[in-house]
Amino acid sequence: MEGSPRSGLSSPEAKLGMRVEDLWDIMEPQLSPTEKLNACFESIPVSAFPPAPSNQAIEIKSDASLGEAVQILAQHKILSAPVVDVDAPEDASWIDRYIGIVEFAGIVFWLLCQSEPPSPRSPSSATALAAATNGVNAEFEFLGPESAASTNGNFFEALTSSDFYKNTKVRDISGSFRWAPFLALQTSNSFLTMLLLLSKYKMKSVPVVDLGDGKIENIITQSAVIHMLAECAGLQWFESWGTKRLSELGLPVMTPNCLIKVHEDEPVLQAFKLMRKKRIGGIPVIEKGSSRAVGNISLRDVQFLLTAPEIYHDYRSITAKNFLTAVRSYLEKNHENCPLVTGMITCKRDHTMKELIQLLDSEKVHRIYVVDNDGNLEGVITLRDIISKLVHEPRGYFGDFFDGVLPLPQNSRV
């Protein structure tokens, strides 16, 4: 997958890389490579980023039912979508036009919250609702199997055929938000701002709004950024950074002892709980009695609770290993391509950054696990780690940027 200095220049991503290349050539020679890249990305407006595929431009109306929202997300193979307020006037600003972003994980966790009995440890409805619609990572203690109420084995199958699921509207689960309706970039903001939001500020995707028509112009996802970087292979600025080995760049950052993980015999619900609590998008499944990883469960896999509830029944006690087996079998039966089918995506410390990016792009994943020669887990590398080695946040860079969105509602626990 090696790239020549001028390979793939017909793609929008490669042309964007050439734009960085041109800026790189005229930057002050005394600047360090990181300072030069910072300056290059700061000089390019986010409007230059290639538009998202048509399936990423999908919007969900606020009067759609939860069932309809799940169907739309599944049909277009996307994990989240902005929600349009059907009662907003035609000339509404983007802040009034949208009520938030709804995602698979948020819907599932909201529904799980409704299935729990009231208790002093349960989160307030405002917290649960906000997390459901805006993907905010809250510590949902009710997800623990130790506090779970007993349900019959066909919980999700019964749920997805219930009137509650069919009649509850997306707007019904829109409570308070950390940002109202969500944090977005304007088309004039820079590439550097977008990269920093995806890395340091842990955004899964970045909506770009056009203030003129009050609508979302683009949605920049982690996958899109990885693909852009992969298309830049062969360009001078990329090669000066991408040919370095991971160990040279100090990756992986996290040591094996600090890595959040679950063992194969633990309940899969514990994996989802840890991901929400620790604000991470995926978690390795470790073989019992060893340090070998046998699989990965990501937050997006929670969608199978709603789109394929028949693959297993006892959702509270099914183990992480059995969950991987059940989902893999389901995907193979339905001829669907998914990282779960191919197993763990791994690399070693002597891989180069370019090899890593090209592997992530080809496998369509956002994280990769680092293993030793015996397959023992040594760490994890995410897109955020990659970006942190590409650019840095200058002191006071964001200034009052975060003041440009609506404040957190009073008494909200988000």
Side-chain angles (χ1 to χ4, degrees), residues 234-247:
L235 297 176
Q236 179 186 353
W237 70 266
F238 181 89
E239 294 295 322
S240 67
W241 166 75
T243 53
K244 293 181 179 179
R245 299 191 183 281
L246 301 179
S247 56

Side-chain angles (χ1 to χ4, degrees), residues 102-175:
V102 68
E103 55 180 14
F104 269 124
I107 293 175
V108 170
F109 283 113
W110 186 85
L111 291 169
L112 284 173
C113 181
Q114 308 315 300
S115 73
E116 296 294 340
S119 76
R121 298 182 66 194
S122 295
S124 69
S125 59
T127 303
L129 299 179
T133 52
N134 212 29
V136 175
N137 296 292
E139 293 187 20
F140 289 129
E141 295 299 331
F142 65 89
L143 287 180
E146 71 282 351
S147 64
S150 60
T151 62
N152 64 49
N154 298 318
F155 176 79
F156 274 99
E157 286 183 283
L159 172 66
T160 53
S161 61
S162 69
D163 289 338
F164 172 77
Y165 181 68
K166 295 174 182 177
N167 296 333
T168 301
K169 306 298 182 183
V170 173
R171 64 187 172 205
D172 296 336
I173 67 172
S174 64

Side-chain angles (χ1 to χ4, degrees), residues 28-173:
E28 296 292 337
Q30 68 268 25
L31 295 177
S32 69
T34 300
E35 290 172 333
K36 289 179 74 173
L37 279 177
N38 258 44
C40 290
F41 288 128
E42 177 64 11
S43 300
I44 300 175
V46 76
S47 58
F49 198 93
S54 57
N55 67 336
Q56 293 288 346
I58 299 300
E59 298 180 341
I60 294 176
K61 294 182 178 180
S62 60
D63 60 353
S65 69
L66 297 185
E68 290 170 336
V70 166
Q71 185 177 21
I72 292 171
L73 294 174
Q75 177 184 349
H76 294 280
K77 296 184 177 181
I78 55 178
L79 301 178
S80 62
V83 179
V84 178
D85 186 353
V86 295
D87 297 322
E90 280 294 319
D91 59 349
S93 66
W94 73 271
I95 288 180
D96 294 323
R97 173 178 166 80
Y98 298 98
I99 66 171
I101 294 179
V102 68
E103 55 180 14
F104 269 124
I107 293 175
V108 170
F109 283 113
W110 186 85
L111 291 169
L112 284 173
C113 181
Q114 308 315 300
S115 73
E116 296 294 340
S119 76
R121 298 182 66 194
S122 295
S124 69
S125 59
T127 303
L129 299 179
T133 52
N134 212 29
V136 175
N137 296 292
E139 293 187 20
F140 289 129
E141 295 299 331
F142 65 89
L143 287 180
E146 71 282 351
S147 64
S150 60
T151 62
N152 64 49
N154 298 318
F155 176 79
F156 274 99
E157 286 183 283
L159 172 66
T160 53
S161 61
S162 69
D163 289 338
F164 172 77
Y165 181 68
K166 295 174 182 177
N167 296 333
T168 301
K169 306 298 182 183
V170 173
R171 64 187 172 205
D172 296 336
I173 67 172

Side-chain angles (χ1 to χ4, degrees), residues 241 245-254 348-350 353 356 370 380-382 384-386 388-389:
W241 166 75
R245 299 191 183 281
L246 301 179
S247 56
E248 292 180 67
L249 293 169
L251 294 174
V253 176
M254 186 175 292
K348 295 181 179 178
R349 291 178 184 270
D350 60 357
M353 180 64 82
L356 178 69
V370 184
V380 62
I381 299 174
T382 67
R384 297 184 182 112
D385 298 321
I386 294 172
S388 72
K389 300 301 179 180

